[in-house]
Amino acid sequence: MAIHHHRGDLPDGLELVNNVAVDTETMGLLPGRDRLCLVQLSAGDGDCHMVQFSPAAYNAPRLKAVFSDPAVTKLFHFARFDIAVISKYLEVVCQPVYCTKIASRLVRTYTDRHGLKDLCRELLGVEIAKQQQSSDWGNSELSPEQLQYAAGDVLYLHRLRERLDEMLDREGRSELAAECFRFLPHRAALDLEGWAETDIFSH
Ligand code: MN
């Protein structure tokens, strides 16, 4: 795996033409309070490109072009959070998207364990580490351990999608999954508008 670290935006001329795995690291779990610090991307080729942001410096036209490119599907694990953060700080609607957590919930109905670590273990036989998850991502100098961890979160999403797509197809839920993915940017918008804790579809 090669890690490419960039500041502020992707470099000029970088082609991310495949579907791209995406993850973000933030100062915490509340998009209104906790700023976006890092965006990690991988085209599934083992390389990870990460873009680190200074506070209030979110002018990243090349990264935003990837997020809004209709020809590039953005693969996430728990897309709802990342899409909200990306929308809030980069002011771009991420579309089209695929979420391995939604796919897992729709087919792995035999378990309630849908974390990235659980999916990697069961579907790929890979153990990933989660120790750096709650570290200081706002630090302008990230440690080698943080960079390794951050890259690890986008490394397996393409392979997970392949496995989950097989299961969705087998169980006849591919269309339902596709519609859920289409709704995700709207679900993220509801979160940002104040309905994060409310299921507007419930009685
Ligand atoms: Mn992560």
Side-chain angles (χ1 to χ4, degrees), residues 94-127:
C94 225
Q95 235 166 357
V97 300
Y98 184 103
C99 177
T100 51
K101 188 163 198 155
I102 298 285
S104 176
R105 283 191 191 279
L106 287 172
V107 286
R108 293 174 65 254
T109 41
Y110 48 82
T111 177
D112 59 359
R113 302 190 66 89
H114 301 285
L116 182 60
K117 196 177 166 66
D118 303 304
L119 295 187
C120 284
R121 182 188 297 125
E122 183 189 302
L123 301 179
L124 307 177
V126 170
E127 285 293 333

Side-chain angles (χ1 to χ4, degrees), residues 150-182:
D153 274 357
V154 288
L155 216 50
Y156 302 106
L157 297 184
H158 287 78
R159 284 166 63 197
L160 286 177
R161 180 195 181 165
E162 274 180 41
R163 294 298 319 280
L164 289 163
D165 277 349
E166 287 166 13
M167 295 172 81
L168 283 166
D169 185 46
R170 188 188 76 200
E171 300 302 325
R173 298 197 183 126
S174 301
E175 197 52 43
L176 190 55
E179 293 301 336
C180 291
F181 301 151
R182 246 191 291 279

Side-chain angles (χ1 to χ4, degrees), residues 2-197:
I3 296 177
H4 308 273
H5 178 263
H6 315 289
R7 289 187 190 270
D9 198 0
L10 290 170
D12 205 7
L14 177 71
E15 291 273 316
L16 287 169
V17 288
N18 293 327
N19 296 335
V20 65
V22 184
D23 187 35
T24 64
E25 303 302 336
T26 63
M27 287 303 291
L29 298 177
L30 300 176
R33 181 191 69 181
D34 305 322
R35 73 177 182 92
L36 172 65
C37 299
L38 192 70
V39 172
Q40 308 97 279
L41 304 107
S42 175
D45 53 6
D47 277 13
C48 176
H49 288 271
M50 43 185 89
V51 179
Q52 190 177 358
F53 293 101
S54 305
Y58 296 104
N59 180 29
R62 288 183 289 273
L63 181 59
K64 287 162 75 157
V66 173
F67 286 149
S68 60
D69 188 340
V72 176
T73 298
K74 276 64 71 174
L75 316 177
F76 295 91
H77 183 77
F78 196 47
R80 179 176 168 180
F81 176 77
D82 299 296
I83 292 172
V85 170
I86 288 165
S87 157
K88 163 109 186 141
Y89 290 90
L90 295 172
E91 296 175 330
V92 64
V93 177
C94 225
Q95 235 166 357
V97 300
Y98 184 103
C99 177
T100 51
K101 188 163 198 155
I102 298 285
S104 176
R105 283 191 191 279
L106 287 172
V107 286
R108 293 174 65 254
T109 41
Y110 48 82
T111 177
D112 59 359
R113 302 190 66 89
H114 301 285
L116 182 60
K117 196 177 166 66
D118 303 304
L119 295 187
C120 284
R121 182 188 297 125
E122 183 189 302
L123 301 179
L124 307 177
V126 170
E127 285 293 333
I128 61 166
K130 275 286 171 192
Q131 291 92 330
Q132 297 294 321
Q133 188 162 33
S134 42
S135 62
D136 179 11
W137 294 101
N139 197 325
S140 73
E141 299 303 325
L142 296 174
S143 70
E145 291 76 22
Q146 283 179 305
L147 297 182
Q148 279 290 334
Y149 162 79
D153 274 357
V154 288
L155 216 50
Y156 302 106
L157 297 184
H158 287 78
R159 284 166 63 197
L160 286 177
R161 180 195 181 165
E162 274 180 41
R163 294 298 319 280
L164 289 163
D165 277 349
E166 287 166 13
M167 295 172 81
L168 283 166
D169 185 46
R170 188 188 76 200
E171 300 302 325
R173 298 197 183 126
S174 301
E175 197 52 43
L176 190 55
E179 293 301 336
C180 291
F181 301 151
R182 246 191 291 279
F183 179 67
L184 269 167
H186 307 289
R187 178 63 262 189
L190 287 165
D191 290 344
L192 292 173
E193 294 287 328
W195 285 277
E197 302 302 326

